[in-house]
Each structure stands twice: as structure tokens, then as C-alpha cells.
Amino acid sequence: MTHPEQSPAEPRMCARCVMDATVPGIRFGADGVCNYCAMQDGLEREFPCGPEGERILKDMAEKMRRAGRGRKYDCVVGVSGGRDTSYCLYYVKEIMGLRPLAVHFDNGWDADTAKTNLARLCDALDVELHTVIMDWPASRELTNCTIRACVPYIDLTDDIGIASALFRTAAAEGVKYILMSHSFREEGVTPLMWNYIDGRYTRALIRRFAREPLPHFKNVDIPHMLYWLFAKGIRVVNITNYYDDTGDKVERLLEEKFGWVDTGQHHMDNELFALVYHYSRHKFGFDWRVVELSAKVRTGVLTRAEALEALKTPPYFETDEMVDYCLKKQGMPREEYDALLKAPNKYFTDYPSWYPLLRLFRWPVKLMCRRHMLPAHVYEKFFEAV
Ligand SMILES: [Zn+2]
């Protein structure tokens, strides 16, 4: 694993996508094409959509129905009100014919459009919605910890909270399947150095940077995961891998069927992302969109020229007004934020984490991903995109 700050800053870009030499873990083949492109091609082969994907999903639906016999739900579906999760919930209910429980986690940053979308969607699909709301002081302080830690990803609360809400709800309801909608075709696989997360790392950031106690924060650590995966037998499946969710046909269907309103980009159902994007562009010099745009170039939804053009201007939601709004809500003075932008950059490797231990278990993790116990791209993300 190379520390990004130590890698030579070659101004070299992949011949196929828009990732360049500043992306951590990037390597170029003889043809000038990067390993992230090869990774997406590999996932495409392992997780086909089209008729083969439909057949796999049909088998999966049958298994979920059997596991759900005698219970109220066949599966738990994580929803945000954004594009991918809304389409996933529709697909699970209408196409796969399952009985899902929709679970939403709110860390205090839900956009109003996302909330309206969720209510409309669940109403129209006749799906029960369970919302888990995070204690706001804990959410705010944990986000401030990550900014003070000078690491690239500052929205740990959302990722931990989503995992916690999904597993805890599935365990409480006796549901064996959690369905996620990360799409490698639409969103790509983010370099691990940019958004690594685990329970030990989160604890270390809190210990070192929290200025107030977080009594209501529920961490997710390895013992929790082992309990949910092995004692409770819960499986996490990215069904998105087996259907084609690329292009604006998804938005059109959601608009027509449910009066769904586009929240903008993949993450703007969560308003903190205005700060997430501003912070990483100004502190680390990278743009999160490069991952998603590259994925879209590979699937042919965008041309490489269109993706390069999009990267010339900052994301439309990253306005001064939104950044100020986020900082005010975070209770972080602008002067402190600006000083942290100039402080030395850090990565998860600068703090305690379980990553060295996880590396020892890379082959069992690969097996678990291929057997649909963990989401498909977890192995690639943790052990290949570094
Ligand atoms: Zn590439």
C-alpha cells in the first residue's frame, strides 16, 4: 500500500477513464488503462446483469422468500430517498415480488426532497418504513472529530449509522437478508485511502479528537459484525449488481411512477455532502466525482470528454452558502475549518485501525463476498483499490 502523499505526482491519466496518477492505489497497464478499469471489468464478469442477472435474482428471491416464511418481512432494504436506493426498493417489491421492510437512517442531514421521496415511494409501494434517527450532538461531534483528524472522509456517522440501523433492525425482526444498492456500474469503487472506516479507527478518532462525551453513539465493530453474520446468519447482498441501473431511465421511471424528485448527484440526499466535497477538494485536491464519472465512462453512459468537462467546474451544490450552512450547523467556526484545511493531511493509516488484521483475512473475505454474505465489491475495495 502506498501512502498517497508519497506517490509521485505524475500528470498521467488512464487512457479509458478519468482517473489519474493522484488516485491512491492506481496502476497503469501497458495499454495505459488503469487497474480501476480492470477491477470494474472483473466485477462485470463476476456479476452479470441482463438475462443471467435476472436468473440469479430469481433464485435469490426464492431463497429470501423461504427464509422469510412465517415472518412479516423477507428482507430489509436500506433507503435514503436518493436515486439508487429508491430504484432498489421498487425493484425488490415490484419486480422480485418480495416483502421488504424499508430502513432509513437519518444523521441529521436529510434533504427535504429525500424525505418527501421516501414517504411517496413507501406509500405507493405499500412498504413499511422504519426510520432510525441519530442523536444529533453525537452525529455533529463525530463529524467534527473527522475534520480535526484531517482525514479525507468526514461523514463516518452516515456509514456507521446505516450499517448499525440495517443490522440491528434485521436482527430484531429475525430477517436474514439485508439488501444494499451500491452500484459499481454507476458509482464505481472508491479508493480505500479516501474513505476507509472500521470500529477501532472510529474509536481512536473519538478518543483523540472529541471535545464532548458521546454517550449515545453506537459504534459498529468486528464483534458486532461476527455476531450478525455468523450467530444471526444475516447476509448482505448488493442486488444492484445484477440489474442494469445505468443512465437516466432510472430517474424517469421513478418520476413517472412515484412523483420522485431528483436529489442531485448520488449523495445529495444528504446535505453534509456539500462540505464533504468542499473539504476534500480544498484540502486533498481530489474530487469525489472522479470515481463515479469514471464508472459511467466505462459503462458508456458518458463519454470521456463529457466526464472531463464535468470535472472542470466544482459540483453545483458546493456553494459558499451551503458550506457556511454546514459549518454553522456543525458548530465549527470558519477560522478553525480554514486552519484545518491547511494542516498536514492524514489518512486512516496514521491512526489505529483493524486494517492490518483484516488483511490477514483477505481470502475468507473474498469467499464471503462471492457467496453473498458481504457486498460484492468489499473484497476489491479493501484489498485491490489500495
Ligand atoms: Zn481507468
Side-chain angles (χ1 to χ4, degrees), residues 14-19 26 28 32-38 294 298:
C14 172
R16 182 173 163 203
C17 72
V18 292
M19 285 186 160
I26 200 162
F28 298 98
V33 173
C34 77
N35 53 326
Y36 285 87
C37 281
S294 290
R298 293 177 200 126

Side-chain angles (χ1 to χ4, degrees), residues 64 67 71 74-77 162-180 224-237 368-369 371-375:
M64 290 181 212
R71 299 185 186 277
D74 298 318
C75 55
V76 158
V77 179
I162 289 169
S164 168
L166 291 172
F167 276 108
R168 286 178 214 274
T169 306
E173 296 288 343
V175 176
K176 300 289 180 201
Y177 287 91
I178 292 174
L179 306 189
M180 306 279 286
H224 299 106
M225 293 301 297
L226 293 177
Y227 172 71
W228 288 323
L229 291 173
F230 295 104
K232 289 299 211 176
I234 297 171
R235 304 283 174 262
V236 189
V237 187
M368 288 166 79
C369 291
R371 290 196 170 171
H372 301 121
M373 290 172 76
L374 289 172

Side-chain angles (χ1 to χ4, degrees), residues 67-125:
R69 229 169 254 162
R71 299 185 186 277
K72 201 172 170 192
Y73 311 104
D74 298 318
C75 55
V76 158
V77 179
V79 289
S80 66
R83 170 197 193 276
D84 306 336
T85 60
S86 298
Y87 188 71
C88 179
L89 187 65
Y90 152 77
Y91 199 95
V92 168
K93 180 78 201 285
E94 298 284 289
I95 312 288
M96 293 174 80
L98 292 168
R99 299 168 304 153
L101 168 63
V103 174
H104 173 56
F105 171 74
D106 178 1
N107 64 348
W109 288 100
D110 271 7
D112 286 342
T113 42
K115 287 184 201 168
T116 314
N117 282 343
L118 265 182
R120 279 184 188 161
L121 191 73
C122 291
D123 227 30
L125 288 171

Side-chain angles (χ1 to χ4, degrees), residues 128-277:
E128 205 177 312
L129 174 66
H130 175 59
T131 300
V132 177
I133 299 174
M134 187 168 174
D135 173 64
W136 171 243
S139 171
R140 183 180 56 194
E141 187 59 11
L142 181 52
T143 301
N144 282 340
C145 285
T146 53
I147 302 174
R148 291 176 200 133
C150 290
V151 289
Y153 187 54
I154 62 169
D155 194 24
L156 296 191
T157 56
D158 213 27
D159 293 40
I160 299 168
I162 289 169
S164 168
L166 291 172
F167 276 108
R168 286 178 214 274
T169 306
E173 296 288 343
V175 176
K176 300 289 180 201
Y177 287 91
I178 292 174
L179 306 189
M180 306 279 286
S181 40
H182 176 276
S183 166
F184 68 82
R185 292 183 182 92
E186 266 288 305
E187 298 178 76
V189 175
T190 306
L192 190 73
M193 290 304 256
W194 286 356
N195 68 347
Y196 180 86
I197 182 170
D198 76 33
R200 187 177 182 215
Y201 168 63
T202 305
R203 214 164 28 250
L205 296 191
I206 292 173
R207 240 179 236 152
R208 194 145 160 205
F209 297 102
R211 293 178 186 166
E212 52 190 80
L214 306 176
H216 303 298
F217 173 64
K218 281 185 184 165
N219 203 356
V220 172
D221 210 341
I222 288 181
H224 299 106
M225 293 301 297
L226 293 177
Y227 172 71
W228 288 323
L229 291 173
F230 295 104
K232 289 299 211 176
I234 297 171
R235 304 283 174 262
V236 189
V237 187
N238 250 332
I239 62 162
T240 333
N241 294 328
Y242 294 109
Y243 57 71
D244 177 10
D245 64 343
T246 58
D248 62 3
K249 59 181 178 292
V250 168
E251 283 86 342
R252 280 203 309 273
L253 179 140
L254 293 171
E255 282 160 13
E256 279 163 23
K257 275 191 174 287
F258 308 106
W260 179 89
V261 178
D262 195 349
T263 50
Q265 305 257 328
H266 275 281
H267 299 292
M268 274 317 283
D269 36 14
N270 171 348
E271 291 182 334
L272 182 64
F273 268 73
L275 192 66
V276 170
Y277 275 67

